[in-house]
Amino acid sequence: MMRRLSDLPLRDLELLSAYLDGELTPREAGRLQARLDGEAGLRWALEELRRTVSVLRSLPEVRPPRSFTLTAEAAGSRARAAAYPVLQLATALATLAFVAVVGLDALSSRATGVALAPTFREQGELLTAAPVEEATLAPTSEPPQALSASAPEEPPAASEIQAVGSATPEVPIGLEIERSSPGAGPGTATAFPTAMPEESSAADQTGPVEGTPCEACGGGQAPAEAEPLIGAAPLGSPSAQTTPTLGPQAEKLGGEPEIADQANAPAAFSSPSSTARPSLPTLRLAEIGLGLAAALLASLTFRVRRKR
Amino acid sequence: MIHDAQKGDLEAFNRLVLAHQSRVFNVALRIMGDPDSASDATQEAFISAYRNLRRYRGGSFQGWLLRIVTNACYDELRRRKRRPATSIEELSTEPDGNPGEPRLSLASRHQGPEAAAEDAELSRAIEDCLRRLPDEFRVVAVLADVQGYEYAEVARMVGKPLGTVKSRLARARGRLRDCLRHYGELLPSSLRLQDERA
């Protein structure tokens, strides 16, 4: 009767196989030996396994068809293989650093834009604070009526200036008018076209102001001449020092040094950006450098991977 | 020699290759079933060994190499399974090769062309039966029975518990015996399998 070994219970097959190789514990081997003594089928199965193993062991060694020694080129690939993970890591780090710097750049650009707004606001406060001081000084040299008289017939213009300058609304209109031309200057360039005619008209009304530096600066009456106005302001300073003893015209002149001071405001405006600017080129350089490094490392990694 | 090779001495490593390539190739051959695939797996194993030589922490260097070649064979077999069309074609054509032209240079145990032809026949029968085994059974049977390694060594090479190796080997032997029974006339009388007499 023909029988298949694979029909044997798996446990028996495993025991017989391990018994054949001496891999059973003495206790297991003893128990199996007892069974072998009483079971012919097990003895047959053990013998078949023994023959099978002998057949397998009879397989001859085959001579390799060629030598498998490594060439220098294959050995070179070992260095490349070792470099590959390092290059991978370096590429990843360079890419991360690049992304971080770009993000930092974007954030700093936004922060610079946001930071400028409060600065403008501060400047605006300075501009409004100055007229208040002026207003406290003005009564000593001239009654408020005189000031208001300096621009009595231009309420629309004054309100316009007030709107453009966005200064404190509680400041007397007359004062606004007087200092609107320089004060509005830093805020917006559009203040000049409206402010300059205001001042010139006021100067025309006060008459004696003619020939003052303000006339020289206001003569152009063009927005583009805002710079000469600022530059010419110090010229009026000697006369401005005599402000307390002068009349309303002198009071106007006395405003000139302040005009000059506040004309420096644009420089103050640029200070936040000028402090931020030096860092921007550094960031840009870092971005370029890291971007190039990441690209270079990526291409190198790719080449190494292909040659591995 | 291993120490020198670990330092990057290529000549030292190649001496190790020459010392072990026959065993490594034979294991690959019995697992893969054809010399071309076995050559590829062997070469791949030696390259991998050279690249990872620093990870070798002592013990049997040959065992370490055989573990690498076994893994290389597994990888190739998995690739074949993902491309079954190629694999089936290869497997179906190989056993029908011209019997008069042995593909392998067998180290014949006997003298004379007739004996050599018989050996070749027997080898083909065993190879055929090995090929019919599931991969995990075949690997264990090759390492334990064809190459004669102990269970513990086989377990290290295949990275499986000893119990798994025992079980796989027992089942592999059972299936091989049932397969070889069909080649009874090819087997030497001392090895000829017997039918059970109830």
Side-chain angles (χ1 to χ4, degrees):
Chain A
M1 176 185 167
M2 199 172 283
R3 199 176 154 189
R4 287 155 47 96
L5 267 187
S6 48
D7 290 339
L8 271 181
L10 183 60
R11 178 62 188 155
D12 285 349
L13 190 62
E14 286 177 2
L15 283 172
L16 289 171
S17 176
Y19 179 78
L20 198 62
D21 296 320
E23 293 283 343
L24 289 181
T25 62
R27 192 176 173 183
E28 287 174 325
R31 258 191 251 158
L32 183 64
Q33 188 58 57
R35 285 185 63 197
L36 283 169
D37 291 341
E39 297 180 39
L42 271 183
R43 286 198 299 276
W44 166 83
L46 181 64
E47 185 58 29
E48 289 302 291
L49 280 174
R50 196 190 312 274
R51 289 171 186 265
T52 303
V53 172
S54 297
V55 169
L56 290 171
R57 295 255 164 93
S58 72
L59 261 180
E61 281 275 309
V62 177
R63 206 180 309 130
R66 63 183 174 87
S67 171
F68 295 101
T69 52
L70 301 187
T71 61
E73 190 185 354
S77 68
R78 181 190 176 190
R80 284 196 291 270
Y84 181 65
V86 177
L87 281 171
Q88 266 187 319
L89 182 68
T91 306
L93 287 177
T95 308
L96 280 175
F98 174 68
V99 170
V101 170
V102 168
L104 188 67
D105 189 5
L107 282 174
S108 65
S109 298
R110 284 187 66 187
T112 306
V114 170
L116 280 176
T119 313
F120 274 107
R121 224 176 292 128
E122 284 169 18
Q123 292 295 330
E125 285 167 9
L126 281 173
L127 292 176
T128 55
V132 171
E133 287 172 15
E134 217 175 313
T136 55
L137 289 172
T140 60
S141 59
E142 179 151 332
Q145 291 81 3
L147 287 170
S148 61
S150 63
E153 291 160 17
E154 274 93 16
S159 62
E160 190 184 347
I161 291 161
Q162 193 176 355
V164 171
S166 69
T168 50
E170 56 272 10
V171 174
I173 292 170
L175 287 174
E176 285 253 343
I177 291 166
E178 279 188 331
R179 62 169 316 286
S180 61
S181 62
T188 55
T190 55
F192 284 104
T194 53
M196 292 303 287
E198 276 303 315
E199 185 158 342
S200 62
S201 64
D204 288 343
Q205 286 175 3
T206 51
V209 185
E210 283 179 10
T212 61
C214 191
E215 185 193 1
C217 64
Q221 298 175 353
E225 290 181 15
E227 293 296 324
L229 170 70
I230 292 163
L235 293 173
S237 58
S239 58
Q241 288 169 355
T242 60
T243 301
T245 57
L246 290 174
Q249 298 86 359
E251 207 281 334
K252 281 182 181 291
L253 290 174
E256 290 298 315
E258 277 208 34
I259 289 166
D261 288 343
Q262 289 166 10
N264 291 331
F269 280 7
S270 63
S271 62
S273 56
S274 64
T275 52
R277 267 174 198 159
S279 66
L280 284 176
T282 312
L283 279 174
R284 295 280 145 74
L285 281 174
E287 283 170 21
I288 293 166
L290 284 170
L292 284 173
L296 194 68
L297 283 167
S299 66
L300 202 60
T301 308
F302 182 69
R303 285 184 64 189
V304 168
R305 187 183 175 179
R306 282 181 60 191
K307 287 184 178 177
R308 278 207 318 165
Chain B
M1 204 150 54
I2 294 169
H3 191 60
D4 289 342
Q6 281 181 315
K7 286 179 179 174
D9 186 343
L10 184 60
E11 281 188 25
F13 183 77
N14 279 335
R15 284 197 292 276
L16 289 169
V17 171
L18 292 171
H20 297 285
Q21 66 179 3
S22 179
R23 178 58 64 94
V24 172
F25 173 76
N26 273 273
V27 168
L29 177 68
R30 301 309 178 199
I31 294 172
M32 300 304 295
D34 74 279
D36 292 338
S37 298
S39 291
D40 291 345
T42 304
Q43 189 67 79
E44 195 178 320
F46 280 122
I47 291 170
S48 178
Y50 187 66
R51 286 177 184 172
N52 297 287
L53 208 50
R54 286 196 178 90
R55 293 185 191 174
Y56 171 67
R57 296 276 181 261
S60 167
F61 186 70
Q62 190 172 75
W64 185 69
L65 285 175
L66 292 182
R67 179 168 189 164
I68 293 173
V69 78
T70 301
N71 286 331
C73 291
Y74 269 133
D75 289 344
E76 177 55 27
L77 291 168
R78 278 190 217 106
R79 276 194 288 270
R80 283 186 185 183
K81 279 180 182 170
R82 285 197 292 268
R83 294 169 293 167
T86 311
S87 177
I88 287 167
E89 190 181 346
E90 283 174 4
L91 291 175
S92 61
T93 53
E94 278 179 18
D96 299 332
N98 188 348
E101 295 175 8
R103 300 169 64 218
L104 309 176
S105 55
L106 294 169
S108 178
R109 291 160 293 153
H110 307 290
Q111 299 296 315
E114 254 184 60
E118 281 177 14
D119 284 346
E121 286 279 330
L122 175 61
S123 293
R124 261 193 289 276
I126 300 168
E127 286 165 7
D128 179 53
C129 289
L130 279 171
R131 197 178 291 124
R132 291 169 190 271
L133 290 175
D135 295 339
E136 61 272 20
F137 288 9
R138 182 166 63 254
V139 169
V140 172
V142 166
L143 292 170
D145 286 346
V146 179
Q147 300 297 332
Y149 288 101
E150 293 182 357
Y151 285 25
E153 290 175 296
V154 176
R156 275 195 296 273
M157 288 176 199
V158 299
K160 295 289 178 189
L162 203 62
T164 305
V165 170
K166 279 184 185 178
S167 175
R168 286 181 181 179
L169 183 59
R171 284 185 282 177
R173 284 171 171 172
R175 293 191 189 197
L176 281 167
R177 184 268 169 193
D178 292 339
C179 175
L180 287 168
R181 188 167 48 83
H182 300 294
Y183 294 96
E185 70 282 1
L186 294 174
L187 302 174
S189 56
S190 60
L191 301 178
R192 199 160 294 168
L193 302 173
Q194 306 292 315
D195 292 341
E196 184 186 18
R197 288 176 182 80

